[in-house]
Amino acid sequence: MRQIQTKTGATGYGHQLDRVRRFLKRVEGHHQSDVEFQDIIWSFFQHCWHLKDWVKHDPSATESQRESVCRQAYASPLLKICRDLCNGTKHLNLDQARS
């Protein structure tokens, strides 16, 4: 089994979870400009939504964990907003919001 290990020591989806936490700190921190804040907040939404993909493809996660995380991500109203913001910024528009 191949693992991705980061400078922080995290492996697998822990790497992405650490990234989400770092971006949350940036969102909560001081910003030089509105543009800087906008860049940080878009990245935060994207990293939040993609955390479920990291779990889904992490060989160290059990099948039960993968299914639970994906099910909960698609059921969460807040993560659905992250998904729509993520896809809208990535693809320049949102074809249709999903409920």
Side-chain angles (χ1 to χ4, degrees):
M1 172 171 41
R2 185 170 170 226
Q3 293 258 332
I4 297 172
Q5 186 165 3
T6 67
K7 296 273 186 192
T8 63
T11 58
Y13 73 85
H15 171 71
Q16 182 69 5
L17 181 57
D18 286 348
R19 181 178 293 122
V20 170
R21 290 175 176 150
R22 288 192 306 272
F23 269 89
L24 178 58
K25 285 182 184 178
R26 290 175 187 159
V27 168
E28 296 171 337
H30 176 73
H31 305 99
Q32 299 295 320
S33 68
D34 290 343
V35 172
E36 179 186 11
F37 177 75
Q38 184 177 4
D39 288 346
I40 291 168
I41 200 76
W42 290 136
S43 292
F44 173 72
F45 290 135
Q46 291 165 357
H47 292 306
C48 282
W49 178 245
H50 290 299
L51 178 58
K52 60 127 179 74
D53 295 324
W54 279 77
V55 174
K56 182 179 176 181
H57 297 287
D58 188 337
S60 67
T62 67
E63 188 63 29
S64 174
Q65 289 170 322
R66 291 181 196 139
E67 289 173 2
S68 177
V69 166
C70 286
R71 185 174 50 256
Q72 290 178 52
Y74 284 100
S76 167
L78 295 176
L79 287 177
K80 286 180 185 180
I81 293 169
C82 286
R83 177 198 57 208
D84 289 346
L85 290 169
C86 174
N87 289 333
T89 58
K90 181 179 177 184
H91 301 293
L92 301 179
N93 64 9
L94 183 60
D95 291 338
Q96 74 182 61
R98 297 179 191 136
S99 54

